Amino acid sequence: MTDYRAHATDSRPSAGLSFTKGHGTGNDFVLTLDPDAAAPDDAAFVASLCDRHRGIGADGYIRAVRSSALPEGRALLQTEPAAEWFMDYRNADGSVSEMCGNGVRVFAHFLLASSVADLPEGGELAIATRAGVKRVTRSHDGYAVDMGPWEFIHPEAAVARGMDSLVEIGGLDVDRPALSISMGNPHTVVALAEAAELQRTELHRAPGVQPVPPEGTNVELVVPSDPLVGDDGVGRLSMRVHERGVGETQSCGTGACAAAAATRFWAGAGAPARWQVTVPGGVVGVTFFDGPDGREHVLLSGPAALVAEGVLLPAG
């Protein structure tokens, strides 16, 4: 097992913390098995851990905590007793996030690799998150997650005008109309006309969104394929994303779901239920289906990989 040094202050209980590094289509995370919620989770520690020059480096930090050890988890166990493990997720800056679509797949893979959960072929693994319980199954390319229902953040404007906000993006001359969608966390989707626009946008700083959703927002820039739908009946689009509290990332699972939902809405009647979303880190699948609650749900599928293990050394 390799040792790594995270430059946290001596007051942070980091020394000796075992961790695993994983990613889903390049969206990378530091994960730790923390059944009793004893590992550090303060913002300063998380930011130092995720720092790509002075820490391990990641888009986010995930603690695998037994649901019974957290108030949010105990609340979910009242109606979802099978959700034994809670995905306690934080962005790279230490801010708490509702959930992460790529992170759920990596989290499930981590639980299986740690031998604390089982997911037989045809089975289902319930995972507790701050956005509710997510159900994971095996897929042909890794894992598939029922992300639950999607919804408009500003439904009246979305239905009436097909947009609800304007977004200022570095590298583009004028503000662009956008559509805000919740996947349990907030997203603002901007459609661009061509790949050249997508390539020249500057996402090293957060785009300006007006009005911005109450909890802030992730911003997805999408270019629909031409033709939009292939001979196989699958819709396709390319995407870049700026994540809240992180910056531009190689991929965003909930963002891919939101991007497909917005593009499908813009396409109108007859738009397909299945989509492929190309991100800088690879390709994920998005499928819309009728959920058991009578609402339209989103299934996210894609790979998950664990690439390293280590133990944090004392600061200094």
Side-chain angles (χ1 to χ4, degrees), residues 125-144:
L125 179 63
I127 292 174
T129 78
R130 290 186 178 86
V133 173
K134 305 303 175 186
R135 305 182 189 283
V136 182
T137 58
R138 296 271 190 177
S139 71
H140 70 281
D141 57 356
Y143 298 90

Side-chain angles (χ1 to χ4, degrees), residues 140-194:
H140 70 281
D141 57 356
Y143 298 90
V145 185
D146 179 353
M147 303 294 289
W150 68 275
E151 60 185 1
F152 294 121
I153 294 177
H154 306 293
E156 291 184 3
V159 173
R161 297 184 285 134
M163 55 85 70
D164 54 38
S165 54
L166 290 174
V167 180
E168 179 270 320
I169 307 161
L172 300 182
D173 295 335
V174 298
D175 295 354
R176 301 302 174 96
L179 194 57
S180 299
I181 286 177
S182 174
M183 285 300 312
N185 59 352
H187 296 270
T188 299
V189 183
V190 180
L192 302 179
E194 58 186 7

Side-chain angles (χ1 to χ4, degrees), residues 1-10 12 14-17 19 30 45-58 309-316:
M1 181 175 291
T2 304
D3 284 347
Y4 294 85
R5 182 176 302 274
H7 291 259
T9 65
D10 292 334
R12 296 181 199 137
S14 59
L17 180 69
F19 70 88
V30 175
F45 168 76
V46 174
S48 68
L49 183 71
C50 294
D51 189 296
R52 295 195 181 277
H53 300 285
R54 295 181 172 85
I56 305 305
E309 294 178 332
V311 178
L312 298 186
L313 296 176

Side-chain angles (χ1 to χ4, degrees), residues 79-95:
T79 55
E80 298 280 358
E84 178 184 2
W85 290 96
F86 190 96
M87 178 181 139
D88 185 21
Y89 179 66
R90 283 160 172 76
N91 296 313
D93 67 352
S95 58

